[in-house]
Amino acid sequence: EAGVTQSPTHLIKTRGQQATLRCSPISGHTSVYWYQQALGLGLQFLLWYDEGEERNRGNFPPRFSGRQFPNYSSELNVNALELEDSALYLCASSFGSRGGETQYFGPGTRLLVL
Amino acid sequence: ILNVEQSPQSLHVQEGDSTNFTCSFPSSNFYALHWYRWETAKSPEALFVMTLNGDEKKKGRISATLNTKEGYSYLYIKGSQPEDSATYLCALGSTLGRLYFGRGTQLTVWP
């Protein structure tokens, strides 16, 4: 069974540009989560999508947005990039979303903002 | 925001040693406790999900216990091997989808 996949693996942008990160969940999973790990910090929750709807978002500015497609894949968009957006972005998926389900993680996209 | 604390921050042991780490969390409104192993340049790997006070889970040489009343979980590794070297993360689950992660314990096992 294929795991969660993310693309690209690395992304280099300049300040003010937009970045688009993509995630494909495990087949059959309907929930997709996005997390950020900035340098020196732990994993911080960004967004949760379930059945095509945004269900919850973390304490991040509106520049961080995304969507979930009918095939349950997801896209994270970061507008007006700032230097501090440089981080590892992890996507995870789960079957259901009641809190006790395991979230399975992808390998991440490392974003560098210059 | 729920505060999840892990200790120690890092740990160096010799091959064959047994070791354990701690995850502390607020005991009120507990829902689920997750443990992950994260090796460098790989995806975080799910180890356990525990939901009931007194839960004990085991996977090979790794086991975990949960005390929801006092707000802690222990992860044990018996007979550590170099391939156990990784960062071990614990996270609180919630009904709002998000996981609240600790900063992790970085384990290095020397041959």
Side-chain angles (χ1 to χ4, degrees), chain B residues 49-68:
Chain B
V49 180
M50 295 184 287
T51 57
L52 298 175
N53 185 44
D55 255 355
E56 292 188 24
K57 299 269 180 152
K58 187 174 181 181
K59 183 177 181 179
R61 294 178 292 99
I62 304 176
S63 60
T65 61
L66 177 66
N67 184 321
T68 61

Side-chain angles (χ1 to χ4, degrees), chain A residues 4 33 35 37 40-45 48 55-59 88 90 97-108, chain B residues 1 31-34 36 38 41-49 51 89 92-103:
Chain A
V4 176
Y33 313 82
Y35 292 85
Q37 187 185 44
L41 298 179
L43 284 169
Q44 301 293 318
F45 170 76
W48 167 34
R55 303 294 185 185
N56 195 14
R57 67 179 291 129
N59 189 25
L88 178 68
L90 289 175
S97 53
R98 290 168 297 170
E101 290 83 9
T102 298
Q103 294 184 16
Y104 295 89
F105 283 84
Chain B
I1 295 180
Y31 201 79
L33 193 285
H34 301 247
Y36 286 86
W38 195 2
K42 293 187 177 180
S43 308
E45 174 196 356
L47 290 175
F48 308 115
V49 180
T51 57
L89 297 170
L92 270 184
S94 72
T95 55
L96 297 174
R98 66 185 295 172
L99 294 178
Y100 296 86
F101 279 91
R103 298 283 291 267

